Amino acid sequence: MGIVTRGFRGRRDREEVALPPGQYLERGFPVLSAGPTPQVAPGAWSFTITTETGGEHRWSWEELQRLLIEDVTVDLHCVTKWSKLGTHWRGVSLDVLLDGVATTAPYAMAHSYGGYTTNLPLADLRDGQAWVAFEYEGQPLRPEHGGPARLLVPHLYFWKSAKWVRGLELMPTDQPGFWERAGYHDYGDPWREQRYAGD
Ligand SMILES: Nc1nc2c(c(=O)[nH]1)N[C@H]1C(S)=C(S)[C@@H](COP(=O)(O)O)O[C@H]1N2
Ligand SMILES: [Mo]
């Protein structure tokens, strides 16, 4: 794994942090979008989980806000090689949203307003590993970063964290999403440097 020295002045000068292989430490928050930013007002936003048998579970913005909300601090790793450490988010755990959804489907496709998709094993969205996030660093999530709400799945490369998320389609078989069809790795574990198909 890569070891990077933080560039802070002063006593943190020699603090070393571990980054996944091939990654560098980013201070800013780059915007990476495959197309234009969809403008989705919270009142027009909803999140729908569709099961493999066609069952639908839908939450409006107001319904989402009434669920158990968590504050999470996570590291982000983009396949373009920047990592950002200790970012603060607020959102609803997928555990809460999947609670009561009857499914045996092993895969999920995240769908976004604007048409972006990305596939994940459903197990990677459970057990405190994924959120529908709507605040970043104490502010409503800005549209260019996926506001009003995005998926946050920080243990995988950041392309799996679908911005402007509008739902999950639970699938009996694995299907590639937008970047996965274009040659990105199906799973995308930054610690195993799974950037592209075949890695
Ligand atoms: N809907 C949507 N989600 C997306 C993307 C996108 O183009 N559209 N890009 C992905 C990629 S490649 C990355 S690195 C992150 C970038 O998020 P950011 O722009 O907030 O840094 O969003 C991911 N989610
Ligand atoms: Mo990315």
Side-chain angles (χ1 to χ4, degrees):
M1 88 182 49
I3 301 290
V4 166
T5 302
R6 289 204 202 206
F8 295 119
R9 281 184 284 265
R11 70 172 60 166
R12 302 189 75 178
D13 239 11
R14 293 199 185 82
E15 184 180 343
E16 290 188 336
V17 296
L19 290 179
Q23 297 293 108
Y24 69 87
L25 199 54
E26 170 66 51
R27 305 300 163 74
F29 193 3
V31 172
L32 285 110
S33 300
T37 295
Q39 302 296 325
V40 186
W45 181 92
S46 66
F47 183 79
T48 305
I49 297 178
T50 307
T51 72
E52 69 277 25
T53 55
E56 288 198 344
H57 302 254
R58 180 175 289 119
W59 295 265
S60 67
W61 183 260
E62 291 201 338
E63 288 166 339
L64 185 84
Q65 302 298 320
R66 287 199 290 269
L67 300 176
L68 180 67
I69 290 169
E70 291 180 23
D71 288 304
V72 293
T73 302
V74 296
D75 302 337
L76 310 175
H77 308 293
C78 175
V79 72
T80 63
K81 301 199 166 178
W82 59 267
S83 289
K84 193 167 173 57
L85 304 184
T87 63
H88 300 104
W89 299 80
R90 177 168 286 179
V92 173
S93 171
L94 261 296
D95 292 318
V96 171
L97 295 162
L98 288 165
D99 187 44
V101 174
T103 181
T104 59
Y107 298 100
M109 186 74 79
H111 289 268
S112 295
Y113 292 96
Y116 185 85
T117 55
T118 188
N119 58 305
L120 312 97
L122 187 53
D124 285 79
L125 297 174
R126 297 192 190 272
D127 300 327
Q129 299 186 94
W131 294 266
V132 171
F134 47 81
E135 281 187 30
Y136 173 75
E137 301 299 350
Q139 300 294 326
L141 184 58
R142 295 166 60 109
E144 62 268 32
H145 285 300
R150 76 181 297 163
L151 203 59
L152 179 65
V153 194
H155 71 288
L156 300 177
Y157 280 126
F158 208 27
W159 88 77
K160 298 287 185 180
S161 293
K163 303 197 279 188
W164 316 294
V165 70
R166 66 173 176 79
L168 291 180
E169 174 193 357
L170 307 185
M171 308 186 296
T173 60
D174 195 16
Q175 307 289 334
F178 177 81
W179 282 120
E180 295 82 7
R181 276 196 300 275
Y184 280 31
H185 197 277
D186 189 64
Y187 183 63
D189 179 352
W191 296 96
R192 288 186 280 168
E193 209 168 1
Q194 294 174 335
R195 299 179 193 274
Y196 305 106
D199 283 350

